[in-house]
Amino acid sequence: MNRISIDPITRLEGHGKIDIFLDDAGDVENVYLQIPELRGFEEFCVGRPAEDMPNLTARICGVCPEAHHLAATKALDDLFHVDPPPTAKKLRELFYSIFYATDHTTHFYALGGPDFVVGPTAPVAQRNILGVIAKVGMDVAGKVLKMRRDGHELIKMMGGRRVHPNWGLPGGVSRGIDEEQRREIEARGREAVEFAKFSLQVFQDLVLKNGDYVKLITGDIYVHRTYNMGTVDENNRVNFYDGKIRVVGPDGKEHAKYHARDYRDYVAERVEPWSYLKFPYLKKVGWKGFVDGVDSGVYKATPLSRLNAADGMATPLAQAEYEKFYETLGGKPVHHTLATHWARLIELLYAAEHWVELAADPEITGSEYRILPTKTPTEGVGSVEAPRGTLTHHYATDERGILTKVNLIVGTTNNNAPISMSVKKAAQSLIRKGKAVNEGLLNMVEMAFRAYDPCFGCATHSLPGRMPLEIVLRDWQGNVVQRFSQFLR
Amino acid sequence: MSEATATSAKTKGKLAIYWAASCGGCEISILAIDEKILDVGNAFDIVMFPCGADGKVRDVEQMPDGAIDVCLFNGGIRTSEQEYMAQLMRRKSKVLVAFGSCASEGCIPGLGNMSDRKQIFDTVYKEGSSTYPVNPKDERPQAETKMPEGTLHLPIFYDTLKTLDQTVDVDYYLPGCPPEAENIWKAIVAILEGKLPPKGSTIGVNTTVCDECKRTRHEKKIKKFHRTWQIIPNEEECLLEQGLLCCGLATRAGCGSLCPQVNSPCIGCHGPNDGVEDFGARLMSAMASVIDSNDPEEIDGIIKDGIPDPVGTFYRFSLAKSLLRRKNKAAIAN
């Protein structure tokens, strides 16, 4: 039996490792994606005061602390049986829209975009953000940096800090915004809408007008017909902050629509002895292994999944793009994993439009951004759509609000099984009879999991937009037969 | 770019940035120095930066000892792999900086020292609301798993999270969860200009968050501590005087008193000032000094009602580093 180890060096020896096993004929027998790290928040948060959770759980992920902060805050609303006033809800959603626009920008320009904008077959040295700039124009770098900086400064203005805000409370937020701040937020939001439109135009011109890229997106290597999960509002449109969780089947039909509080009726987590990260699946369908199809409980929770699980977008420009998306790709649902990049840009536009809507809302500067809970805390669930998947926080406390039980299903965790499957399929398509394809294989494998923007400790959050990879092909005695690498010194 | 930065660019140093048991927030904060990251690139060859550039462990292993000029190391030490990396980066680096709260004090993951591996595994894999009872074989992750195709390995998860300086010798500390971008840049300039304080120092100011806070202050006399969800504090007066357990009075300054600006109490992420051996004990004595009572029974009541979780309140960021370090294992077993 031969083995190929792929170490994503950017977070290797720490946060992710792929082992590919070959059968005697040299074809891919199986692939294991291992997550070699655990911190145990569900255990050590027990005994803490519940109100600390927005701050404690932000430390699960420094890339999306805003998602944990708000999922925790919503769980506290539920736990303390308090309904925050409209201004509070709108402030939280405004804050979250700013975060989304900032985070999606980083992914498209630094991480996912280079594959398409520069090209999947371009020399590796150009397949990075510098290559994007060279192709699209120098002013893009300035626009991307400005978008990121503006986002972080507004997050700090509202939540206190750029990373790890200290703002959410049961019943609201610790401080509102005044008219001067509102004007600043709205002005930056209008620029964000223009930036999102520009980004979609870039995608249109450089990707969709290129037959080869379209073929790659719609090709078989990256297709997985799984269930899709996302949060929707009362009109079944995509929402990041609140609503019901909706799951559609591989055929696009609604499998379930539920309040986050009922998540245990729909989602279960499988434990495998070879990874510290669990594998969630749809409980009513059941775990059938690492396979897709209507009988397998494997589901995806990504930008693409959210579009598939919804009936549309809640803002006009994003809705137009949503319609174009499905028209171009042949109707709903879309199962082409690489289309996730396009879906992410449509979400970027929605986030920016919603940012402006909320900033222009007369209630946003209201003085009632917080009410005090009066009931005894018991048990609560809160969920938001993290950029990398549906994020669920579930707490129980004693009557003083001291935590007795904590359960968390984190964004990327939802996609643990599908990412493994995508990597396996890419490997199977490219490794035949033990003969590995050099650079093509590396980039194709890399693209398979980069589409998910996985956050195994931010595996793909590389600034230059390139993930150093090494593939080692060993014979059955463990001797190195072949070694391929990219971006390694 | 400063003059010193330009000078150093002629003789490029080697910089490494590594992460262990951390969240990635330190990296986001490093990237938030924005275009100054290009100055860093001009002054240093970045030989390892898992979030931002090339370089891999095998390359570092092959370098001569001391080949790296500066290593910024964030994250605590929880697994055998992280322990190995700490030892490796120490050996290869002239200057090793414990970067941020996790490496310096253990941070929030250090609260895991109230439990041990078995408890953590049981909670995550057995008793979790969404794993139990659907884990029929009662599986736990194993260091070694024999699969039909071959054997898979995972690093060993230790009972105790350690700080970087409980694992290897550390030269400097940079406080904050995460350190603010402005302070990261100041530290980088200090390194570039060779203006580092004596070995073992924390790079930063030696005043408290209170000194930077713009709220009005009077004599502190606390009759009752409130939980944050119990009162709406006004935006002008000292939060502690309003009864909220604000850690600003014992926490190192340098952040600009950010949390009190959004009407939230300081949670102590910058750690203690120089010369304080145990941050939690320092915070506790500071709080004790503002309680307005001489009656032991009344004091007991004030503490019990307002501070139901002393460990999580006073040792929120520093349990792993503290004199307590962890909960007694025998006590957990019983």
Side-chain angles (χ1 to χ4, degrees):
Chain A
M1 185 73 65
N2 286 344
R3 171 193 291 215
I4 300 174
S5 299
I6 302 183
D7 293 331
I9 307 296
T10 46
R11 197 95 207 222
L12 161 74
E13 280 104 355
H15 306 260
K17 182 180 171 212
I18 295 164
D19 265 330
I20 302 176
F21 290 95
L22 306 182
D23 62 19
D24 293 340
D27 290 327
V28 172
E29 168 101 26
N30 212 346
V31 173
Y32 295 92
L33 169 70
Q34 292 180 271
I35 306 306
E37 206 209 18
L38 170 74
R39 281 171 293 159
F41 276 78
E42 289 101 325
E43 162 66 19
F44 67 70
C45 288
V46 169
R48 311 282 82 80
E51 65 269 26
D52 268 14
M53 289 305 267
N55 289 335
L56 296 179
T57 59
R59 273 75 185 177
I60 291 172
C61 179
V63 178
C64 56
E66 294 85 352
H68 285 283
H69 195 74
L70 288 188
T73 302
K74 286 180 69 185
L76 292 182
D77 292 340
D78 198 32
L79 177 81
F80 282 92
H81 315 287
V82 60
D83 189 26
T87 296
K89 288 182 186 169
K90 286 173 182 174
L91 281 168
R92 289 179 189 172
E93 197 172 357
L94 171 60
F95 173 86
Y96 205 48
S97 300
I98 297 168
F99 157 67
Y100 245 83
T102 312
D103 192 82
H104 274 5
T105 297
T106 307
H107 186 273
F108 181 72
Y109 283 96
L111 308 167
D115 285 331
F116 294 104
V117 178
V118 186
T121 55
V124 287
Q126 292 170 21
R127 223 185 310 115
N128 54 47
I129 190 161
L130 299 176
V132 173
I133 292 163
K135 189 144 182 189
V136 190
M138 266 312 285
D139 61 327
V140 171
K143 281 185 184 177
V144 174
L145 270 177
K146 181 178 167 7
M147 182 71 208
R148 272 182 57 82
R149 186 172 29 224
D150 286 353
H152 281 139
E153 289 309 316
L154 296 181
I155 284 164
K156 182 177 171 182
M157 179 208 279
M158 294 182 76
R161 306 184 70 208
R162 289 186 199 96
V163 181
H164 299 329
N166 187 354
W167 188 54
L169 289 158
V173 293
S174 65
R175 200 192 62 174
I177 56 171
D178 61 26
E179 176 56 23
E180 193 187 330
Q181 291 172 321
R182 189 204 67 75
R183 276 201 300 268
E184 168 73 12
I185 294 168
E186 186 182 347
R188 298 287 84 78
R190 294 197 184 282
E191 291 167 3
V193 172
E194 291 311 309
F195 178 80
K197 282 157 69 179
F198 164 81
S199 302
L200 276 154
Q201 192 61 45
V202 167
F203 194 83
Q204 177 77 34
D205 292 344
L206 295 175
V207 180
L208 297 178
K209 286 186 182 158
N210 184 320
D212 290 343
Y213 295 176
V214 173
K215 221 164 111 186
L216 189 70
I217 292 174
T218 55
D220 185 54
I221 296 177
Y222 298 104
V223 171
H224 277 293
R225 295 176 196 285
T226 66
Y227 286 79
N228 285 288
M229 177 185 283
T231 300
V232 294
D233 66 14
E234 64 277 10
N235 298 313
N236 280 343
R237 295 171 307 189
V238 170
N239 195 289
F240 301 142
Y241 171 72
D242 204 15
K244 283 194 170 156
I245 296 164
R246 193 182 194 208
V247 182
V248 298
D251 54 2
K253 283 188 195 143
E254 184 175 294
H255 162 75
K257 189 174 166 185
Y258 57 93
H259 189 282
R261 212 176 279 139
D262 302 322
Y263 77 105
R264 278 174 300 171
D265 295 338
Y266 297 93
V267 176
E269 291 185 285
R270 182 176 175 81
V271 179
E272 291 284 352
W274 44 268
S275 183
Y276 284 123
L277 195 66
K278 293 181 276 193
F279 296 86
Y281 60 94
L282 296 170
K283 202 171 183 175
K284 292 185 177 175
V285 185
W287 175 261
K288 307 283 159 58
F290 293 86
V291 290
D292 63 5
V294 73
D295 297 325
S296 166
V298 170
Y299 66 91
K300 284 187 264 193
T302 65
L304 175 62
S305 314
R306 286 190 284 261
L307 265 54
N308 279 335
D311 293 343
M313 309 301 287
T315 54
L317 297 176
Q319 173 60 24
E321 292 293 333
Y322 180 94
E323 287 164 19
K324 190 159 94 189
F325 178 84
Y326 285 107
E327 247 164 61
T328 309
L329 296 174
K332 278 177 79 177
V334 165
H335 291 296
H336 309 295
T337 308
L338 292 188
T340 308
H341 296 293
W342 189 1
R344 193 174 282 116
L345 289 179
I346 296 169
E347 287 196 337
L348 166 64
L349 180 57
Y350 161 65
E353 284 184 281
H354 201 37
W355 165 353
V356 173
E357 281 177 353
L358 288 161
D361 191 301
E363 276 187 311
I364 202 78
T365 48
S367 55
E368 207 191 13
Y369 48 80
R370 203 187 147 187
I371 52 170
L372 294 180
T374 51
K375 291 179 184 154
T376 306
T378 50
E379 189 170 354
V381 178
S383 91
V384 296
E385 284 297 319
R388 294 150 196 89
T390 312
L391 168 63
T392 309
H393 282 214
H394 179 190
Y395 315 146
T397 66
D398 65 14
E399 72 290 348
R400 299 171 304 156
I402 301 300
L403 290 155
T404 54
K405 196 174 170 101
V406 174
N407 190 41
L408 309 164
I409 301 181
V410 176
T412 292
T413 308
N414 293 291
N415 300 309
N416 197 4
I419 295 171
S420 292
M421 288 155 55
S422 289
V423 173
K424 181 175 176 180
K425 195 162 181 186
Q428 278 175 329
S429 309
L430 291 147
I431 303 170
R432 295 280 165 91
K433 307 284 172 234
K435 200 177 161 204
V437 183
N438 191 353
E439 193 187 305
L441 168 65
L442 287 162
N443 193 43
M444 295 295 231
V445 170
E446 189 182 338
M447 286 169 69
F449 65 88
R450 195 157 53 212
Y452 294 86
D453 188 16
C455 206
F456 302 130
C458 328
T460 58
H461 287 268
S462 315
L463 175 65
R466 44 190 186 166
M467 175 177 284
L469 283 175
E470 182 176 58
I471 296 189
V472 181
L473 182 60
R474 293 189 180 88
D475 66 17
W476 65 278
Q477 289 174 310
N479 301 313
V480 175
V481 178
Q482 256 182 307
R483 178 173 284 169
F484 312 108
S485 62
Q486 67 178 33
F487 299 127
L488 301 179
R489 285 159 198 266
Chain B
M1 197 195 301
S2 74
E3 221 170 277
T5 323
T7 314
S8 323
K10 288 171 200 154
T11 50
K12 273 196 167 189
K14 284 189 169 56
L15 176 71
I17 298 167
Y18 193 75
W19 47 18
S22 63
C23 70
C26 283
E27 282 72 18
I28 298 297
S29 215
I30 290 172
L31 298 182
I33 66 175
D34 293 327
E35 68 282 349
K36 293 195 189 82
I37 197 88
L38 302 173
D39 288 359
V40 176
N42 286 333
F44 288 104
D45 279 327
I46 300 175
V47 295
M48 174 173 255
F49 182 11
C51 184
D54 307 349
K56 62 194 181 70
V57 172
R58 191 177 303 134
D59 295 332
V60 176
E61 284 169 341
Q62 285 165 1
M63 289 176 184
D65 288 357
I68 297 168
D69 292 285
V70 181
C71 174
L72 308 177
F73 193 107
N74 71 69
I77 309 300
R78 186 76 212 223
T79 68
S80 52
E81 190 173 76
Q82 291 157 356
E83 185 178 44
Y84 172 78
M85 284 307 298
Q87 288 161 348
L88 178 70
M89 298 317 283
R90 169 67 281 181
R91 208 161 58 238
K92 303 297 178 185
S93 308
K94 290 192 188 81
V95 174
L96 181 67
V97 180
F99 187 100
S101 177
C102 282
S104 303
E105 303 186 285
C107 196
I108 304 297
L111 289 171
N113 288 357
M114 292 296 284
S115 312
D116 60 13
R117 171 172 51 194
K118 184 180 181 306
Q119 269 187 321
I120 291 175
F121 277 21
D122 283 351
T123 297
V124 174
Y125 302 111
K126 181 183 176 183
E127 289 153 10
S129 300
S130 41
T131 42
Y132 191 77
V134 293
N135 184 359
K137 285 191 278 178
D138 205 17
E139 298 273 18
R140 299 285 184 281
Q142 305 292 334
E144 205 178 288
T145 310
K146 285 196 172 36
M147 300 303 288
E149 302 89 357
T151 304
L152 296 170
H153 297 273
L154 285 174
I156 298 161
F157 184 91
Y158 293 141
D159 276 325
T160 303
L161 181 135
K162 289 184 180 175
T163 63
L164 186 60
D165 69 0
Q166 288 164 351
T167 311
V168 294
D169 190 39
V170 165
D171 298 305
Y172 298 104
Y173 301 84
L174 193 65
C177 176
E180 293 297 324
E182 294 81 359
N183 294 337
I184 295 173
W185 180 242
K186 280 182 204 159
I188 290 171
V189 169
I191 291 167
L192 288 173
E193 294 179 345
K195 288 181 182 164
L196 281 167
K199 186 183 155 149
S201 299
T202 298
I203 304 173
V205 294
N206 209 18
T207 52
T208 66
V209 172
C210 285
D211 296 326
E212 293 182 335
C213 186
K214 292 185 183 72
R215 289 171 180 264
T216 54
R217 274 173 284 173
H218 313 91
E219 198 189 343
K220 292 179 181 32
K221 284 182 175 173
I222 308 297
K223 276 278 182 203
K224 180 174 170 57
F225 287 110
H226 301 284
R227 312 267 291 272
T228 51
W229 48 271
Q230 288 174 325
I231 62 158
I232 299 180
N234 68 56
E235 297 200 22
E236 289 77 41
E237 288 173 295
C238 169
L239 289 167
L240 183 58
E241 286 168 25
Q242 297 184 62
L244 289 172
L245 213 151
C246 182
C247 299
L249 79 175
T251 301
R252 185 186 290 269
C255 61
S257 183
L258 292 174
C259 294
Q261 282 183 38
V262 293
N263 223 16
S264 292
C266 168
I267 56 174
C269 83
H270 257 228
N273 274 317
D274 292 352
V276 176
E277 196 174 359
D278 189 300
F279 183 37
R282 171 77 189 87
L283 262 176
M284 248 185 293
S285 64
M287 288 303 159
S289 71
V290 300
I291 292 176
D292 183 22
S293 172
N294 291 318
D295 173 7
E297 222 168 278
E298 191 186 16
I299 293 174
D300 261 8
I302 292 172
I303 293 172
K304 237 182 221 165
D305 288 347
I307 313 172
D309 172 29
V311 173
T313 304
F314 298 119
Y315 291 95
R316 194 182 277 124
F317 288 91
S318 66
L319 180 63
K321 171 84 170 182
S322 71
L323 296 171
L324 306 170
R325 288 180 75 152
R326 62 158 301 119
K327 189 170 178 180
N328 188 299
K329 284 192 207 173
I332 292 173
N334 295 329

